[in-house]
Amino acid sequence: MSLLDKALVLFSGGQDSTVCLAWALERFAQVETVGFDYGQRHAVELEARPPIRARLAMLSPLWRSRLGDDHVMKIDALAAISETALTREVAIETGETGLPTTFVPGRNLIFFSFAGALAYRRGIKHLVAGMCETDFSGYPDCRDDTVKAMQLALSLGLDRRCVIHTPLMWIDKAATFALAQDIGGAPLIDLLLAETHTCYLGDRQHRHAWGFGCGECPACRLRADGYAKWKAGS
Ligand code: ZN
């Protein structure tokens, strides 16, 4: 990896992808971001993206100089799969397992395909994404083997070397807070708590020590537990 290399971060506006963006800004000469718009439930997350980018740029002159263009890709077909009766029967089952009913199987495979095509057009070799195997077994498209297979598929299919970085793959939520502390200190932690969004219900009304959210959904509980564990150990 050369410092002259450019990176494209899959940036949702959530906590994990924000830590990944900071991680990339420490390492690459130029860092662009891409977000995916595929339905109303994620409007809160998408709205969080511009303020997070602006605040990251204010944390460090180096980061400001490296932060490049933002891209938002609208994927209507994905919205159709998540919202319509096409998958309704399985969607009920999905709700019972604690995953959001808008969950789309293999969603990250689609994101990587679009991100890979965009990166190709932008002359970018490195993709950075916040997938994690440690905390969450619910999403098979977050697994390390899935990501490695996508890296190979993109490199072959685009006939250009593509490297996918997943800095959070083997660490839990507490260690993600610790990583953020190492990268950007208290100002980055404050940014994560105030600006990033994780809650499945899109709750921005209730502020807790660990950030905004309903406090009850699996994403909120994971974040709250991770914050408490990090605080207890730091
Ligand atoms: Zn929640």
Side-chain angles (χ1 to χ4, degrees):
M1 182 165 85
S2 155
L3 265 182
L4 295 174
D5 281 346
K6 294 194 281 186
L8 177 66
V9 179
L10 281 71
F11 176 54
S12 69
Q15 177 181 344
D16 289 348
S17 68
T18 301
V19 175
C20 286
L21 178 51
W23 182 90
L25 287 167
E26 279 290 288
R27 280 165 182 78
F28 294 96
Q30 204 198 343
V31 179
E32 300 189 5
T33 51
V34 60
F36 300 100
D37 181 358
Y38 60 99
Q40 203 52 37
R41 296 245 181 153
H42 294 263
V44 172
E45 244 186 40
L46 284 177
E47 284 166 12
R49 299 171 73 261
I52 292 169
R53 281 175 43 96
R55 274 189 68 170
L56 281 170
M58 285 190 290
L59 291 187
S60 150
L62 184 66
W63 290 5
R64 181 162 57 237
S65 71
R66 290 175 169 180
L67 185 60
D69 290 346
D70 184 35
H71 312 271
V72 175
M73 305 180 89
K74 200 159 164 47
I75 310 180
D76 289 335
L78 206 51
I81 295 171
S82 67
E83 299 292 352
T84 70
L86 277 176
T87 56
R88 186 164 50 194
E89 286 181 19
V90 179
I92 292 163
E93 207 177 280
T94 304
E96 285 169 352
T97 62
L99 297 172
T101 52
T102 51
F103 170 68
V104 178
R107 187 183 61 183
N108 287 316
L109 305 181
I110 296 162
F111 289 169
F112 274 127
S113 299
F114 276 85
L118 177 65
Y120 185 97
R121 293 296 296 265
R122 305 290 296 173
I124 296 172
K125 174 177 164 185
H126 300 273
L127 299 179
V128 182
M131 285 84 204
C132 172
E133 255 199 47
T134 309
D135 272 326
F136 226 44
S137 56
Y139 296 100
D141 56 341
C142 290
R143 288 189 297 208
D144 192 49
D145 284 354
T146 307
V147 174
K148 286 191 164 79
M150 279 310 290
Q151 172 175 299
L152 184 60
L154 288 170
S155 294
L156 290 171
L158 297 168
D159 198 21
R160 189 185 286 179
R161 178 78 173 141
C162 169
V163 182
I164 301 178
H165 303 262
T166 51
L168 311 184
M169 182 59 76
W170 303 112
I171 65 176
D172 65 8
K173 284 280 180 261
T176 301
F177 276 111
L179 176 64
Q181 175 78 39
D182 286 346
I183 295 171
L188 182 57
I189 297 290
D190 289 345
L191 186 163
L192 287 176
L193 299 179
E195 306 285 353
T196 68
H197 181 78
T198 311
C199 176
Y200 284 154
L201 304 183
D203 186 328
R204 292 288 296 172
Q205 306 301 316
H206 300 96
R207 173 71 203 248
H208 313 264
W210 46 265
F212 287 97
C214 71
E216 299 296 330
C217 75
C220 279
R221 272 185 264 131
L222 198 60
R223 181 163 164 160
D225 291 350
Y227 182 80
K229 187 178 162 197
W230 171 64
K231 273 290 175 189
S234 65

